[in-house]
Amino acid sequence: AAILLKLGGYGLIRISSMLNPHPPNLMFPIMILALWGILMTSSICLRQTDLKALIAYSSVSHMGLVTAAIIVQTPWGLTGAMTLMIAHGLTSSALFALANTNYERTHTRTLLLVRGLQLVFPLMSTWWLLTNLTNMAMPPTINLLGELFIISTLFNWSTPTIIITGIGTLITATYSLYMFLMTQRGSISTQFRILPPTHTREHLTLTLHLLPLGLLIMKPSLISGLFA
């Protein structure tokens, strides 16, 4: 999710520039699939019971936005696509790291079985909250900047797309909160009351993911000025 999807996005940017201006019969089907994929994969996230599957489908949903922005072939669209790819690469990797810390201790990825971990790992719960807020593009994260670029690009391309991107953003916020509440809140099962503590290396890994996301918004031109 953090590397392979970004290589695919880079390939789309290179190939799409060679097809500029796009033939309408090639552009519209891909755009429709990308926009429809945002809604479908976001909706699939709401019914997932496997934590890693939820995070993986979340990645596909975000890449639908990236694909749509690349197809439009405007400076704002390419800038937003590049920004969101880098931001999502860090966010998705952090989510998978958090899911792995849960799995190493509970040996299950089923959301219904692992609840109430905030009582056992309060600091790890803080990382869960920050990462999920970043995943739903809360300000002042760089994810918000990328999504604003892309939504503005699609709105200028076709006004009705604001409905699809708006619903997609709403569903993204819903499943991000769902993931946090299902893993951290509630009463913990009796079989998980005694768990190994978290390690410094795990907190360092998450710091190295979230710190760049917080710092990049202070100078977004490092990653967003490539096509502006």
Side-chain angles (χ1 to χ4, degrees), residues 68-85:
I70 292 172
I71 293 298
V72 176
Q73 276 292 300
T74 61
W76 271 44
L78 293 173
T79 298
M82 182 63 71
T83 304
L84 189 60
M85 280 196 295

Side-chain angles (χ1 to χ4, degrees), residues 27-209:
M27 182 178 183
F28 288 112
I30 298 176
M31 182 66 73
I32 291 170
L33 287 174
L35 293 173
W36 186 244
I38 295 170
L39 296 182
M40 287 297 99
T41 50
S42 297
S43 302
I44 288 172
C45 289
L46 291 174
R47 61 185 299 273
Q48 286 301 316
T49 58
D50 188 293
L51 181 57
K52 284 192 175 181
L54 196 162
I55 299 170
Y57 278 112
S58 169
S59 300
V60 180
S61 173
H62 282 92
M63 288 306 294
L65 278 172
V66 171
T67 304
I70 292 172
I71 293 298
V72 176
Q73 276 292 300
T74 61
W76 271 44
L78 293 173
T79 298
M82 182 63 71
T83 304
L84 189 60
M85 280 196 295
I86 294 173
H88 175 259
L90 291 167
T91 307
S92 180
S93 180
L95 285 171
F96 276 116
L98 285 166
N100 186 62
T101 59
N102 284 9
Y103 181 75
E104 284 181 345
R105 287 159 179 80
T106 61
H107 303 291
T108 180
R109 299 197 304 261
T110 305
L111 291 170
L112 291 174
L113 296 179
V114 185
R115 304 187 68 177
L117 292 180
Q118 181 183 6
L119 299 173
V120 185
F121 306 123
L123 181 55
M124 196 59 73
S125 181
T126 304
W127 291 122
W128 270 104
L129 178 62
L130 292 174
T131 310
N132 278 287
L133 290 177
T134 305
N135 191 50
M136 68 172 74
M138 287 288 287
T141 59
I142 198 71
N143 303 57
L144 177 66
L145 182 66
E147 289 196 10
L148 286 177
F149 270 119
I150 292 174
I151 292 172
S152 300
T153 299
L154 295 178
F155 182 73
N156 289 329
W157 177 74
S158 177
T159 306
T161 56
I162 194 69
I163 300 173
I164 297 177
T165 52
I167 295 173
T169 303
L170 180 63
I171 300 176
T172 300
T174 304
Y175 71 67
S176 296
L177 290 174
Y178 164 75
M179 177 165 46
F180 175 76
L181 294 175
M182 288 296 291
T183 55
Q184 304 303 309
R185 306 295 293 176
S187 57
I188 190 169
S189 175
T190 54
Q191 61 181 330
F192 296 135
R193 290 193 183 277
I194 301 177
L195 294 173
T198 55
H199 304 295
T200 304
R201 59 176 173 80
E202 294 170 336
H203 297 291
L204 178 61
T205 300
L206 293 165
T207 302
L208 294 176
H209 279 91

